[in-house]
Amino acid sequence: MPGRTFKSAREALRVGVLDLHAGDAQSSLQALTYAAEGGETLAQWKLGSIYAAGEVVPRNDVLAYKYFEQLVDNYDEDETDRRSLPAIANAFVQIGVYCLNGIAGSSIKADPERAVEMFEIAATRFGDADAEYHLARMFIDGEGGLEKDKLRAAKWLGLAAEKGHHGAQALLGHMLFRGDGVPRQAARGLMWLSIASI
């Protein structure tokens, strides 16, 4: 729909989401792009998610990174609308994941130290379970300048597990059942393993 106009970035966001639900990917992308350029946080997040998933458009991790990076760069704790916080937390996690491995064929190289920083922000400021899980994995493997520390990993896994993160529940259950780097608590380990399998 060339020449399509919107009264505001907020209207474009609304139209873009409606078009996406109606299965009109092209129209949705046009509206969401307009909204994102107008500073709509949720449009930036939605575009990042769309390009990262590659379901309605071909996967494009560089574009996904660009939109998630806008959210991370523009985040202001005092100015951000509270309704946008889950999207912003997810953007920090997504940037962290991209920083773990980089994006092949692009200028975005692996930067595990930045990944740790992104996960720590998402975990401590937002209580994001995915960030807590990723931090735990980095403590287990000793990545991103972190020393291997399974006790700290178990702490982060516990926080994520309590929020229903299945990967954290399974890994924590395994560690506790085996006594892998933490005091052995077989019954508690079995409990988390059982919850993870549901």
Side-chain angles (χ1 to χ4, degrees):
M1 289 186 182
R4 190 173 185 193
T5 57
F6 303 98
K7 292 178 185 171
S8 66
R10 175 68 44 110
E11 179 199 18
L13 170 62
R14 186 183 59 74
V15 169
V17 170
L18 288 172
D19 287 348
L20 189 62
H21 288 298
D24 188 347
Q26 276 313 112
S27 183
S28 175
L29 286 176
Q30 180 189 14
L32 290 172
T33 300
Y34 182 94
E37 289 170 359
E40 281 293 328
T41 300
L42 293 177
Q44 293 165 345
W45 175 77
K46 193 70 181 163
L47 284 168
S49 299
I50 287 170
Y51 284 113
E55 290 174 2
V56 293
V57 296
R59 183 175 174 150
N60 187 328
D61 288 315
V62 173
L63 270 178
Y65 184 91
K66 172 192 146 195
Y67 285 112
F68 291 135
E69 183 83 319
Q70 286 175 4
L71 290 166
V72 167
D73 288 346
N74 295 324
Y75 171 65
D76 180 338
E77 191 172 354
D78 297 324
E79 299 290 322
T80 301
D81 180 350
R82 298 195 62 72
R83 292 173 295 179
S84 301
L85 293 180
I88 293 169
N90 180 260
F92 275 95
V93 173
Q94 296 303 324
I95 292 294
V97 170
Y98 281 125
C99 288
L100 279 177
N101 305 309
I103 299 174
S106 79
S107 62
I108 300 159
K109 304 299 178 207
D111 185 350
E113 287 81 13
R114 183 154 190 245
V116 169
E117 177 189 354
M118 295 295 104
F119 295 144
E120 283 180 339
I121 290 170
T124 58
R125 290 190 191 165
F126 302 101
D128 186 275
D130 287 329
E132 292 164 349
Y133 174 76
H134 285 295
L135 267 178
R137 297 297 310 219
M138 294 185 86
F139 273 112
I140 288 169
D141 298 333
E143 290 182 286
L146 299 176
E147 288 188 31
K148 287 185 179 187
D149 187 338
K150 289 189 176 180
L151 283 174
R152 288 187 74 184
K155 174 194 154 230
W156 287 114
L157 289 172
L159 291 170
E162 292 287 345
K163 293 175 181 130
H165 192 285
H166 291 295
Q169 292 166 341
L171 186 52
L172 180 60
H174 172 81
M175 290 173 71
L176 290 170
F177 183 76
R178 294 259 172 132
D180 183 10
V182 296
R184 186 168 193 266
Q185 298 177 46
R188 192 159 173 244
L190 280 174
M191 175 197 78
W192 281 120
L193 288 167
S194 297
I195 292 171
S197 68
I198 296 173

